[in-house]
Amino acid sequence: MHGEHTIREIFAQPDLWQRVREGLGAELDSFSFDEGQEVIFTGCGSSYHLAETGANLFSQWTGLRARFVPASELVLYPELTFRDRDRVALVALSRTGTTSEVLQAVEAFRERRAQGRVAGPLYGVTCTGESPLAGACDRALLIPAREASVVMTQAFTGTLLALALWALAVRPDAERAAALAAAVRQAEAPLRQSDALKAVAELPVKHFVFLGGGLLHAIAREGALKLQEMALEPSAIAYHALEYRHGPKSTVGPDTLVTMLLTGVGASYEAVLLDELKGLGARTLVIAGADQAAIAARADHHFLCDAGLAAGALEAPSDASRALLYTPILQLLAYHRSVRNGADPDAPRHLSRSVIL
């Protein structure tokens, strides 16, 4: 069956999240940074989206300055990122630990550090312990995910959770930790909506737009990438949510499906945008938490990522929790669209598990 590895790995995420949360806690304390140090996150493809998420999490949660840069940009244009005598750390992400541009970025950082031009730790984040990336870094954070498919699914969310836990290890916060723990407990909720997502995947649309702000921008980009990789949909694209009305909305029509990822802070603005896009004739899909059900219900289609995260100890789920729970819904949408298109998400055209140049 086409896609058997992909769908199995999507549904394996609840177990993986539990293993990440239970297995990495004590280890993360030793992946430290100096006060005032800048942290650069880098990767390629889905790992670059994780780099964006990691940088934004660290910026919001730790007090450290953090940025995200594609690995190829670090290699080709290092002067845009590094300055001499920088106190800067590099966090390099690669599922396989063999991605060429990531390894080249790591080597460039090592050379600058050996020359005394930068000072700071070099950390790798990978699912493969015996990999060139793990060997080239000072230390490697190992994500216990193993994927047979080409497209990154469970490894993405497992790494996302690990990055959030890492940020909490740098600067503990009981409320944020509780939100993450609640999200892990709710891991089955997005998966239970797989059958309903099939109907959305069958819609007669030609253009797919994903909108997300703040921490959810990288998740919107990942949603578009999954449709490109799995379903071979060339028109899938992502924007910062409110940026979409500044030009791109001119392309909206009944053959456009706009998927909006509701944030915590921006939901009231996103609700206005949702109504505007519906008025322009777009088909709309909203992914939200149970605390935003009233807004989500205004869309043509909507999915709630949890069974009530707002209840009990959590008044307002964090956007990190939303990012973790929204992602499997986007993966399932891409999987079902790929089946509808007759594609094989286990072995997408022109792609391999790692880009080695």
Side-chain angles (χ1 to χ4, degrees):
M1 182 184 83
H2 282 183
E4 62 180 318
H5 294 306
T6 302
I7 195 65
R8 182 174 64 248
E9 288 157 6
I10 291 173
F11 273 83
Q13 289 174 103
D15 174 68
L16 174 64
W17 296 3
Q18 194 63 43
R19 285 188 288 124
V20 167
R21 183 166 174 265
E22 293 175 352
L24 295 184
E27 182 180 2
L28 288 168
D29 291 336
S30 60
F31 286 79
S32 60
F33 302 94
D34 293 335
E35 191 70 29
Q37 194 165 55
E38 183 176 32
V39 187
I40 307 294
F41 289 80
T42 193
C44 301
S46 289
S47 291
Y48 176 54
H49 299 160
L50 287 166
E52 178 180 346
T53 305
N56 287 337
L57 274 170
F58 269 64
S59 293
Q60 290 184 17
W61 289 13
T62 71
L64 293 169
R65 292 177 297 135
R67 285 187 287 158
F68 55 98
V69 183
S72 58
E73 295 288 294
L74 285 182
V75 174
L76 295 174
Y77 314 107
E79 68 280 358
L80 297 179
T81 301
F82 299 120
R83 298 176 301 276
D84 282 353
R85 293 177 297 282
D86 256 0
R87 294 177 59 239
V88 60
L90 183 67
V91 177
L93 298 106
S94 169
R95 172 180 59 167
T96 63
T98 58
T99 306
S100 293
E101 296 102 309
V102 173
L103 295 176
Q104 291 166 7
V106 165
E107 184 57 31
F109 182 87
R110 286 165 56 95
E111 290 178 2
R112 296 178 84 88
R113 191 170 64 176
Q115 296 164 0
R117 300 172 66 187
V118 297
L122 169 58
Y123 296 134
V125 182
T126 180
C127 299
T128 311
E130 298 194 6
S131 65
L133 176 62
C137 294
D138 300 335
R139 294 198 61 196
L141 180 61
L142 301 181
I143 311 302
R146 296 293 180 267
E147 293 182 331
S149 60
V150 169
V151 174
M152 190 176 184
T153 54
Q154 65 167 338
F156 184 92
T157 56
T159 304
L160 191 159
L161 175 59
L163 292 172
L165 293 170
W166 190 359
L168 288 173
V170 172
R171 178 163 291 184
D173 183 293
E175 185 174 342
R176 287 168 174 158
L180 276 181
V184 171
R185 290 195 300 271
Q186 294 279 352
E188 297 281 356
L191 304 177
R192 287 195 290 267
Q193 303 179 74
S194 179
D195 288 342
L197 281 159
K198 290 180 183 178
V200 178
E202 294 287 341
L203 289 173
V205 295
K206 298 179 180 178
H207 307 289
F208 296 85
V209 175
F210 295 83
L211 304 180
L215 284 176
L216 298 181
H217 177 248
I219 306 306
R221 291 172 61 194
E222 180 67 7
L225 180 61
K226 292 303 102 167
L227 266 179
Q228 293 168 351
E229 291 177 328
M230 288 194 211
L232 309 182
E233 292 284 357
S235 68
I237 194 166
Y239 297 90
H240 293 275
L242 301 184
E243 278 296 298
Y244 190 61
R245 58 160 55 104
H246 295 276
K249 73 176 183 181
S250 64
T251 64
V252 160
D255 61 352
T256 304
L257 177 66
V258 178
T259 298
M260 185 173 294
L261 311 182
L262 290 192
T263 63
V265 172
S268 60
Y269 298 93
E270 293 154 1
V272 174
L273 177 61
L274 169 64
D275 293 339
E276 179 182 352
L277 295 175
K278 286 190 66 177
L280 295 175
R283 297 173 186 260
T284 55
L285 165 63
V286 165
I287 303 175
D291 59 315
Q292 301 166 324
I295 296 174
R298 287 150 63 172
D300 299 312
H301 310 274
H302 73 277
F303 293 89
L304 302 182
C305 69
D306 58 80
L309 267 179
L314 283 175
E315 293 281 325
S318 72
D319 279 353
S321 299
R322 297 183 198 277
L324 192 62
L325 290 165
Y326 288 4
T327 302
I329 296 176
L330 298 175
Q331 294 168 350
L332 285 168
L333 176 63
Y335 169 80
H336 289 305
R337 186 71 177 187
S338 73
V339 172
R340 180 260 192 193
N341 289 351
D344 182 2
D346 283 353
R349 187 175 63 194
H350 309 321
L351 299 182
S352 60
R353 294 186 73 249
S354 180
V355 176
I356 301 175
L357 304 176

PDB file of all heavy atoms in Angstrom, residues 247-267:
ATOM      1  N   GLY A 247      -1.675  42.006  -0.548  1.00  0.00           N
ATOM      2  CA  GLY A 247      -1.327  41.593  -1.905  1.00  0.00           C
ATOM      3  C   GLY A 247      -1.786  40.199  -2.267  1.00  0.00           C
ATOM      4  O   GLY A 247      -2.577  40.027  -3.199  1.00  0.00           O
ATOM      5  N   PRO A 248      -1.335  39.152  -1.556  1.00  0.00           N
ATOM      6  CA  PRO A 248      -1.676  37.795  -1.974  1.00  0.00           C
ATOM      7  C   PRO A 248      -3.172  37.495  -2.015  1.00  0.00           C
ATOM      8  O   PRO A 248      -3.617  36.631  -2.767  1.00  0.00           O
ATOM      9  CB  PRO A 248      -0.967  36.919  -0.933  1.00  0.00           C
ATOM     10  CG  PRO A 248       0.180  37.746  -0.479  1.00  0.00           C
ATOM     11  CD  PRO A 248      -0.319  39.160  -0.483  1.00  0.00           C
ATOM     12  N   LYS A 249      -3.987  38.203  -1.212  1.00  0.00           N
ATOM     13  CA  LYS A 249      -5.422  37.895  -1.223  1.00  0.00           C
ATOM     14  C   LYS A 249      -6.062  38.187  -2.579  1.00  0.00           C
ATOM     15  O   LYS A 249      -7.183  37.741  -2.829  1.00  0.00           O
ATOM     16  CB  LYS A 249      -6.141  38.665  -0.126  1.00  0.00           C
ATOM     17  CG  LYS A 249      -6.301  40.164  -0.392  1.00  0.00           C
ATOM     18  CD  LYS A 249      -7.104  40.831   0.708  1.00  0.00           C
ATOM     19  CE  LYS A 249      -7.321  42.315   0.395  1.00  0.00           C
ATOM     20  NZ  LYS A 249      -8.097  42.995   1.468  1.00  0.00           N
ATOM     21  N   SER A 250      -5.342  38.888  -3.454  1.00  0.00           N
ATOM     22  CA  SER A 250      -5.883  39.152  -4.796  1.00  0.00           C
ATOM     23  C   SER A 250      -6.070  37.871  -5.597  1.00  0.00           C
ATOM     24  O   SER A 250      -6.818  37.849  -6.581  1.00  0.00           O
ATOM     25  CB  SER A 250      -4.957  40.101  -5.568  1.00  0.00           C
ATOM     26  OG  SER A 250      -3.690  39.498  -5.779  1.00  0.00           O
ATOM     27  N   THR A 251      -5.406  36.786  -5.187  1.00  0.00           N
ATOM     28  CA  THR A 251      -5.498  35.529  -5.933  1.00  0.00           C
ATOM     29  C   THR A 251      -6.603  34.610  -5.413  1.00  0.00           C
ATOM     30  O   THR A 251      -6.821  33.531  -5.966  1.00  0.00           O
ATOM     31  CB  THR A 251      -4.158  34.769  -5.845  1.00  0.00           C
ATOM     32  OG1 THR A 251      -3.902  34.398  -4.477  1.00  0.00           O
ATOM     33  CG2 THR A 251      -3.008  35.628  -6.359  1.00  0.00           C
ATOM     34  N   VAL A 252      -7.307  35.015  -4.368  1.00  0.00           N
ATOM     35  CA  VAL A 252      -8.300  34.164  -3.717  1.00  0.00           C
ATOM     36  C   VAL A 252      -9.514  33.946  -4.613  1.00  0.00           C
ATOM     37  O   VAL A 252      -9.992  34.860  -5.289  1.00  0.00           O
ATOM     38  CB  VAL A 252      -8.737  34.786  -2.377  1.00  0.00           C
ATOM     39  CG1 VAL A 252     -10.080  34.234  -1.920  1.00  0.00           C
ATOM     40  CG2 VAL A 252      -7.686  34.515  -1.320  1.00  0.00           C
ATOM     41  N   GLY A 253     -10.010  32.718  -4.590  1.00  0.00           N
ATOM     42  CA  GLY A 253     -11.232  32.373  -5.303  1.00  0.00           C
ATOM     43  C   GLY A 253     -11.763  31.055  -4.788  1.00  0.00           C
ATOM     44  O   GLY A 253     -11.207  30.462  -3.860  1.00  0.00           O
ATOM     45  N   PRO A 254     -12.833  30.551  -5.398  1.00  0.00           N
ATOM     46  CA  PRO A 254     -13.429  29.296  -4.925  1.00  0.00           C
ATOM     47  C   PRO A 254     -12.537  28.077  -5.092  1.00  0.00           C
ATOM     48  O   PRO A 254     -12.817  27.023  -4.518  1.00  0.00           O
ATOM     49  CB  PRO A 254     -14.704  29.177  -5.763  1.00  0.00           C
ATOM     50  CG  PRO A 254     -14.465  30.041  -6.957  1.00  0.00           C
ATOM     51  CD  PRO A 254     -13.594  31.159  -6.487  1.00  0.00           C
ATOM     52  N   ASP A 255     -11.467  28.207  -5.883  1.00  0.00           N
ATOM     53  CA  ASP A 255     -10.535  27.085  -6.036  1.00  0.00           C
ATOM     54  C   ASP A 255      -9.360  27.196  -5.070  1.00  0.00           C
ATOM     55  O   ASP A 255      -8.366  26.483  -5.200  1.00  0.00           O
ATOM     56  CB  ASP A 255     -10.026  26.985  -7.470  1.00  0.00           C
ATOM     57  CG  ASP A 255      -9.274  28.223  -7.935  1.00  0.00           C
ATOM     58  OD1 ASP A 255      -9.270  29.237  -7.195  1.00  0.00           O
ATOM     59  OD2 ASP A 255      -8.703  28.185  -9.038  1.00  0.00           O
ATOM     60  N   THR A 256      -9.468  28.078  -4.066  1.00  0.00           N
ATOM     61  CA  THR A 256      -8.429  28.268  -3.054  1.00  0.00           C
ATOM     62  C   THR A 256      -8.921  27.775  -1.705  1.00  0.00           C
ATOM     63  O   THR A 256     -10.011  28.145  -1.265  1.00  0.00           O
ATOM     64  CB  THR A 256      -8.053  29.765  -2.931  1.00  0.00           C
ATOM     65  OG1 THR A 256      -7.654  30.280  -4.193  1.00  0.00           O
ATOM     66  CG2 THR A 256      -6.917  29.952  -1.921  1.00  0.00           C
ATOM     67  N   LEU A 257      -8.123  26.936  -1.063  1.00  0.00           N
ATOM     68  CA  LEU A 257      -8.399  26.538   0.314  1.00  0.00           C
ATOM     69  C   LEU A 257      -7.398  27.256   1.212  1.00  0.00           C
ATOM     70  O   LEU A 257      -6.185  27.027   1.108  1.00  0.00           O
ATOM     71  CB  LEU A 257      -8.266  25.024   0.496  1.00  0.00           C
ATOM     72  CG  LEU A 257      -8.470  24.526   1.936  1.00  0.00           C
ATOM     73  CD1 LEU A 257      -9.901  24.763   2.397  1.00  0.00           C
ATOM     74  CD2 LEU A 257      -8.094  23.043   2.063  1.00  0.00           C
ATOM     75  N   VAL A 258      -7.903  28.134   2.054  1.00  0.00           N
ATOM     76  CA  VAL A 258      -7.062  28.857   3.004  1.00  0.00           C
ATOM     77  C   VAL A 258      -7.170  28.171   4.355  1.00  0.00           C
ATOM     78  O   VAL A 258      -8.262  28.085   4.930  1.00  0.00           O
ATOM     79  CB  VAL A 258      -7.481  30.330   3.125  1.00  0.00           C
ATOM     80  CG1 VAL A 258      -6.602  31.038   4.166  1.00  0.00           C
ATOM     81  CG2 VAL A 258      -7.369  31.035   1.784  1.00  0.00           C
ATOM     82  N   THR A 259      -6.047  27.669   4.855  1.00  0.00           N
ATOM     83  CA  THR A 259      -5.994  27.020   6.163  1.00  0.00           C
ATOM     84  C   THR A 259      -5.379  27.994   7.153  1.00  0.00           C
ATOM     85  O   THR A 259      -4.235  28.432   6.970  1.00  0.00           O
ATOM     86  CB  THR A 259      -5.167  25.731   6.113  1.00  0.00           C
ATOM     87  OG1 THR A 259      -5.792  24.808   5.218  1.00  0.00           O
ATOM     88  CG2 THR A 259      -5.053  25.096   7.488  1.00  0.00           C
ATOM     89  N   MET A 260      -6.130  28.337   8.176  1.00  0.00           N
ATOM     90  CA  MET A 260      -5.681  29.305   9.172  1.00  0.00           C
ATOM     91  C   MET A 260      -5.405  28.593  10.485  1.00  0.00           C
ATOM     92  O   MET A 260      -6.253  27.844  10.988  1.00  0.00           O
ATOM     93  CB  MET A 260      -6.730  30.398   9.361  1.00  0.00           C
ATOM     94  CG  MET A 260      -6.307  31.520  10.285  1.00  0.00           C
ATOM     95  SD  MET A 260      -7.521  32.869  10.297  1.00  0.00           S
ATOM     96  CE  MET A 260      -7.358  33.472   8.615  1.00  0.00           C
ATOM     97  N   LEU A 261      -4.208  28.809  11.027  1.00  0.00           N
ATOM     98  CA  LEU A 261      -3.815  28.247  12.313  1.00  0.00           C
ATOM     99  C   LEU A 261      -3.998  29.331  13.367  1.00  0.00           C
ATOM    100  O   LEU A 261      -3.236  30.298  13.419  1.00  0.00           O
ATOM    101  CB  LEU A 261      -2.359  27.787  12.270  1.00  0.00           C
ATOM    102  CG  LEU A 261      -1.953  26.918  11.071  1.00  0.00           C
ATOM    103  CD1 LEU A 261      -0.494  26.505  11.200  1.00  0.00           C
ATOM    104  CD2 LEU A 261      -2.847  25.698  10.943  1.00  0.00           C
ATOM    105  N   LEU A 262      -5.033  29.202  14.178  1.00  0.00           N
ATOM    106  CA  LEU A 262      -5.325  30.246  15.159  1.00  0.00           C
ATOM    107  C   LEU A 262      -4.266  30.274  16.252  1.00  0.00           C
ATOM    108  O   LEU A 262      -3.889  29.235  16.801  1.00  0.00           O
ATOM    109  CB  LEU A 262      -6.695  30.035  15.791  1.00  0.00           C
ATOM    110  CG  LEU A 262      -7.927  30.264  14.919  1.00  0.00           C
ATOM    111  CD1 LEU A 262      -9.179  30.302  15.792  1.00  0.00           C
ATOM    112  CD2 LEU A 262      -7.831  31.531  14.084  1.00  0.00           C
ATOM    113  N   THR A 263      -3.788  31.470  16.564  1.00  0.00           N
ATOM    114  CA  THR A 263      -2.840  31.678  17.652  1.00  0.00           C
ATOM    115  C   THR A 263      -3.589  32.121  18.896  1.00  0.00           C
ATOM    116  O   THR A 263      -4.800  32.378  18.862  1.00  0.00           O
ATOM    117  CB  THR A 263      -1.800  32.742  17.273  1.00  0.00           C
ATOM    118  OG1 THR A 263      -2.466  33.999  17.074  1.00  0.00           O
ATOM    119  CG2 THR A 263      -1.059  32.362  16.002  1.00  0.00           C
ATOM    120  N   GLY A 264      -2.856  32.242  19.999  1.00  0.00           N
ATOM    121  CA  GLY A 264      -3.468  32.760  21.207  1.00  0.00           C
ATOM    122  C   GLY A 264      -3.620  34.266  21.157  1.00  0.00           C
ATOM    123  O   GLY A 264      -4.725  34.796  21.269  1.00  0.00           O
ATOM    124  N   VAL A 265      -2.521  34.972  20.939  1.00  0.00           N
ATOM    125  CA  VAL A 265      -2.529  36.432  20.973  1.00  0.00           C
ATOM    126  C   VAL A 265      -3.311  37.032  19.806  1.00  0.00           C
ATOM    127  O   VAL A 265      -4.044  38.004  19.970  1.00  0.00           O
ATOM    128  CB  VAL A 265      -1.082  36.975  20.961  1.00  0.00           C
ATOM    129  CG1 VAL A 265      -1.058  38.483  20.799  1.00  0.00           C
ATOM    130  CG2 VAL A 265      -0.367  36.569  22.244  1.00  0.00           C
ATOM    131  N   GLY A 266      -3.180  36.436  18.622  1.00  0.00           N
ATOM    132  CA  GLY A 266      -3.712  37.069  17.420  1.00  0.00           C
ATOM    133  C   GLY A 266      -5.082  36.603  16.991  1.00  0.00           C
ATOM    134  O   GLY A 266      -5.564  37.009  15.917  1.00  0.00           O
ATOM    135  N   ALA A 267      -5.758  35.779  17.786  1.00  0.00           N
ATOM    136  CA  ALA A 267      -6.991  35.140  17.327  1.00  0.00           C
ATOM    137  C   ALA A 267      -8.071  36.136  16.923  1.00  0.00           C
ATOM    138  O   ALA A 267      -8.794  35.922  15.946  1.00  0.00           O
ATOM    139  CB  ALA A 267      -7.516  34.191  18.395  1.00  0.00           C
TER     140      ALA A 267
END
